Structures are given as C-alpha cells and as structure tokens.
C-alpha cells in the first residue's frame, strides 16, 4: 500500500444535474456492445448491517430495473476470498466489476487484473488508493465526519457539558473512508480541543470496523479515563452500539452522547431510546443507482461525465459523491419515509413508546 505518499482530496470541479454521456472516447473499444453483466463484491456483513440489508437490496433493485445480469457476492472480511471471487467473476464473463475493497493493496490487485482482462471497474463506496478504477461512487465522506462532529457538539451543549472529555472510536485504518470521516470530525472538534473548550480523551482505530472488538476497546478507554468520558465520536452505528453496550454496563447510557453513521435499525432504535445522539443517513438507493448506471454505460463502451473528480495521488478519478444527512430523534421518521428501513423494523414492542414520542405513526 502506498499510504502516506498519497493525499486524497475530494475536489468538486463542476456541479452538473446528473450524469451525462459523452460518447466513447475511452479507447476501451473492447467493452463496446457487450451485454452488460455486473459483478459486485461486498466487504463483509458484520462491520455494518448496510452491506446486506441496504446495498445488496438496492443494487439488485437497480440491476433488475435496468434488466441487466448481475452477480453480487460478499467476501466476509476475507482478503483471499475477495480475490478468489474476483477471479471467478472475471472468468465468468462480467463486463464490469464493482468492489468495496477490504484494503487498498488487495483492492488494487483485483482492479488491475480486471483492467488487464478488459473488464470495466468501479470503486463502490470506498476509494482504492493507488488503484485503477474507472469511476468512484460514494458519498461526500468528509462531510459525513463533519456532521458527526457537529452532531456530537450539539448534544454536548444540550447536556450542558462543561469541558467535556471526548473519546474517539475511529473506523478501520485500512479504509480510506475512515480517514475522510476523521478529517471531517477533526475539523469540527480539534479547534475546540485547541481552545480548551473540550478535552481530547482516548482515541483508537477499530481494526476492520470489528464491532465486538470495539466494545473491548471502549471498555479500556473508559478505564483509562477513570470513567470520565463525556462524549463518544463513534465512526458508525456498529461502533456506537458497542460503546453504548459498555455505557449501559456502567449506567452511563443516555448521559454520554454517542455518534454513529448508516441509519441502521439498531442505530435508529438507540437514538429513539435516547442512548445515541445522532446518526448519518446515506441514501444507498441513490448510490446503488449511480453505480449501476455507470457500470451499464461502461459495458456499452460509453464514457459518462460525472462532472466531479477525486484526487488519488496524481490521478483524478471521475467520481459521483452524494450528500449525506444528519439524523436525530426528530428526523428518524425521514429515514423511514425514504424507504430505507421500515416502521415495523424500527418500532418493535420495546421501541413502540419511543416511536410514538418521535411522531412515527
Ligand atoms: C462505509 C460505512 C460503513 C463502514 C463499515 C465504510 O467504508 O462508508 O458506511 O459503516 O465502511 O462497513
């Protein structure tokens, strides 16, 4: 991995109202006129519920609506399996491969191999550093982090916290998104640490976003801080729930605001119960649709202008970066209204009272 040498910056060059076809100037004639068959490799099913409950569902929805063949598989956090799946998909004749990498090294190997076989490539959600994907489709991930920092700060103010100690549970060190999320929340919180308004507490990255390990890590953080942690910047709902489970053990849940991301059923329930301060909703349906449109265009030998690029070292990667949204108790209903989760999933018996209070009818 060439981490360290590469600097990543999301550069919005143009804002266009969507994707525009600009003909076949890619030189990739090999892809022209192929019947689209799209392979997708999801990373795992434990670091976040989203991959199986949202991404698989919305990608299937987009591919079916477009009438294209597809094969969606999950590497279950196994880098060897990731490469084996990619090899099988390439041999099986996919015209486009969409990956959510487990790290940039193995991601790059897969992308380079696909490219050498004339298979179109898309980095889905996570950018592969030093990679060769033709497109990158994701959200504005620095903004995701910024929303988390702002959300935590708002909750701390509402609790009347004085010089609060803030702990960090960062995402996986091998996920470029985790780096971007942190850049976002640091941009909000670091000035407060520097101004001695807030106190920087323990900070750890959670390998592979492992939720179980996150609970152990947070328990150690709490011990290290002698029980004095006033706010937790957790990078996603799974890590947030891990922190909440330890706060519960210490009868501190609801008193210590915790952030999250993904608008998972569990995260939304934690928000409704008052144990989680906020989450970040990313409309995966739009992400899946944008990626599907690009994969189909590539199979036809077309090159679409996304109107935006992201820097990966010297390379400008054509990108689609969608807008994330902060969700609090008052707006949980918006996530349900958008069809991301259902009322039945969120408002189970134990949460019915909280749902009614939050105006979810
Ligand atoms: C995604 C998050 C997800 C995390 C763990 C990140 O790359 O953007 O939505 O929670 O991975 O799977």
């Amino acid at each position: 991995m060439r981490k360290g040498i590469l600097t990543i910056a999301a550069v919005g060059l143009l804002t266009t109202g969507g994707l525009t076809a600009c003909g076949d100037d890619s030189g990739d004639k090999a892809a022209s006129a192929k019947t689209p068959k799209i392979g997708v490799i999801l990373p795992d099913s434990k670091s976040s519920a989203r991959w199986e409950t949202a991404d698989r569902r919305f990608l299937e929805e987009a591919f079916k609506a477009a009438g294209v063949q597809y094969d969606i598989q999950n590497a279950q956090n196994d880098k060897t399996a990731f490469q084996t799946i990619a090899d099988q998909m390439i041999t099986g004749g996919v015209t486009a491969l969409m990956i959510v990498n487990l790290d940039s090294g193995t991601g790059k190997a897969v992308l380079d191999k696909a490219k050498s076989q004339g298979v179109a490539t898309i980095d889905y959600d996570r950018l592969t550093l030093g990679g060769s994907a033709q497109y990158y489709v994701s959200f504005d991930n620095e903004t995701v982090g910024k929303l988390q920092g702002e959300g935590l700060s708002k909750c701390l103010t509402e609790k009347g916290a004085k010089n609060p100690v803030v702990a960090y549970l960062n995402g996986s060190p091998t996920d470029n998104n985790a780096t971007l999320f942190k850049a976002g929340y640091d941009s909000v919180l670091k000035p407060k640490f520097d101004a001695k308004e807030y106190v920087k507490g323990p900070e750890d990255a959670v390998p592979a976003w492992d939720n179980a390990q996150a609970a152990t890590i947070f328990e150690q953080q709490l011990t290290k801080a002698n029980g004095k942690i006033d706010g937790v910047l957790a990078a996603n709902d799974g890590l947030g729930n891990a922190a909440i489970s330890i706060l519960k053990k210490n009868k501190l849940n609801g008193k210590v605001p915790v952030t999250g991301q993904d608008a998972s059923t569990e995260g939304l329930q934690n928000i409704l119960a008052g144990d989680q301060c906020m989450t970040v909703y990313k409309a995966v349906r739009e992400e899946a649709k944008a990626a599907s449109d690009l994969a189909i265009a590539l199979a036809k030998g077309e090159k679409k202008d996304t109107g935006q690029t992201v820097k990966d070292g010297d390379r400008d990667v054509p990108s689609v970066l969608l807008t994330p949204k902060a969700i609090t108790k008052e707006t949980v209903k918006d996530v349900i209204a958008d069809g991301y989760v259902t009322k039945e999933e969120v408002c189970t018996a134990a949460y019915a009272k909280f749902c009614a209070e939050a105006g979810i009818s």
Side-chain angles (χ1 to χ4, degrees):
M1 238 175 64
R2 292 157 62 200
K3 225 178 153 193
I5 310 168
L6 299 165
T7 48
I8 300 302
V11 195
L13 296 179
L14 282 171
T15 40
T16 55
L19 304 171
T20 45
C22 63
D24 181 8
D25 60 355
S26 65
D28 187 13
K29 301 283 181 212
S32 306
K34 279 186 189 167
T35 306
K37 182 174 176 191
I38 301 162
V40 182
I41 313 179
L42 299 173
D44 64 75
S45 46
K46 290 196 181 142
S47 66
S48 170
R50 65 166 283 184
W51 305 115
E52 285 299 327
T53 62
D55 294 86
R56 181 184 288 277
R57 172 177 149 220
F58 293 124
L59 284 164
E60 276 177 358
E61 184 182 286
F63 296 147
K64 281 184 185 157
V68 294
Q69 286 182 55
Y70 61 89
D71 180 9
I72 304 174
Q73 295 201 39
N74 192 317
Q76 302 300 359
N77 194 31
D78 179 336
K79 288 170 202 152
T80 309
F82 194 96
Q83 285 174 302
T84 309
I85 294 169
D87 287 343
Q88 285 165 351
M89 286 181 170
I90 295 170
T91 316
V94 295
T95 55
L97 187 61
M98 243 185 238
I99 66 163
V100 187
N101 74 54
L102 287 173
D103 67 12
S104 285
T106 47
K108 177 178 164 50
V110 162
L111 293 170
D112 289 352
K113 191 161 191 182
K115 191 179 176 193
S116 74
Q117 310 277 318
V119 173
T121 47
I122 296 176
D123 268 334
Y124 181 74
D125 202 73
R126 296 178 182 166
L127 182 68
T128 301
L129 299 183
S132 57
Q134 284 157 280
Y135 289 105
Y136 168 50
V137 178
S138 192
F139 287 82
D140 179 338
N141 290 309
E142 216 169 303
T143 297
V144 170
K146 200 161 163 267
L147 295 174
Q148 293 173 319
E150 288 167 354
L152 185 64
S153 169
K154 192 161 172 278
C155 287
L156 286 166
T157 305
E158 280 164 13
K159 296 227 176 287
K162 294 263 174 306
N163 301 115
V165 176
V166 175
Y168 276 16
L169 275 178
N170 301 326
S172 171
T174 62
D175 180 351
N176 181 57
N177 284 347
T179 309
L180 298 174
F181 302 147
K182 179 169 152 62
Y185 46 79
D186 268 344
S187 75
V188 177
L189 299 175
K190 200 168 170 295
K192 296 191 185 289
F193 297 137
D194 292 346
K196 308 215 178 325
E197 198 187 323
Y198 290 3
V199 179
K200 180 81 187 276
E203 168 171 5
D204 291 284
V206 180
W209 295 89
D210 184 320
N211 294 190
Q213 214 177 320
T216 311
I217 292 173
F218 183 71
E219 194 152 35
Q220 286 161 357
Q221 289 189 338
L222 198 59
T223 307
K224 192 172 154 195
N226 296 320
K228 168 104 179 89
I229 288 179
D230 304 300
V232 185
L233 194 307
N236 79 356
D237 286 351
L239 306 188
N241 188 62
I244 290 166
S245 71
I246 301 303
L247 291 170
K248 279 183 178 162
K249 251 172 81 173
N250 291 276
K251 301 205 171 14
L252 288 169
N253 59 307
K255 295 183 186 138
V256 177
V258 177
T259 62
Q261 162 180 200
D262 288 341
S264 65
T265 300
E266 186 178 68
L268 295 172
Q269 290 174 331
N270 283 336
I271 291 176
L272 291 169
D275 291 340
Q276 185 171 325
C277 151
M278 57 87 69
T279 186
V280 179
Y281 173 48
K282 302 191 293 191
V284 172
R285 177 180 271 132
E286 288 174 38
E287 187 179 22
K289 174 77 167 68
S292 163
D293 286 351
L294 288 171
I296 293 164
L298 285 170
K300 292 180 182 157
E302 289 171 11
K303 200 167 180 272
K304 295 218 180 204
D305 181 2
T306 58
Q308 207 174 12
T309 59
V310 160
K311 270 227 171 297
D312 175 16
D314 291 338
R315 198 164 87 91
D316 290 317
V317 188
S319 303
V320 174
L321 297 182
L322 300 159
T323 308
K325 199 176 162 220
I327 298 294
T328 55
K329 202 178 269 191
E330 295 71 37
T331 50
V332 168
K333 56 179 177 310
D334 297 352
V335 183
I336 296 174
D338 213 31
Y340 190 72
V341 288
T342 64
K343 185 192 157 196
E344 288 66 35
E345 283 160 348
V346 177
C347 303
T348 51
Y351 295 90
K353 183 174 119 248
F354 302 124
C355 281
E357 280 167 15
I360 303 164
S361 51

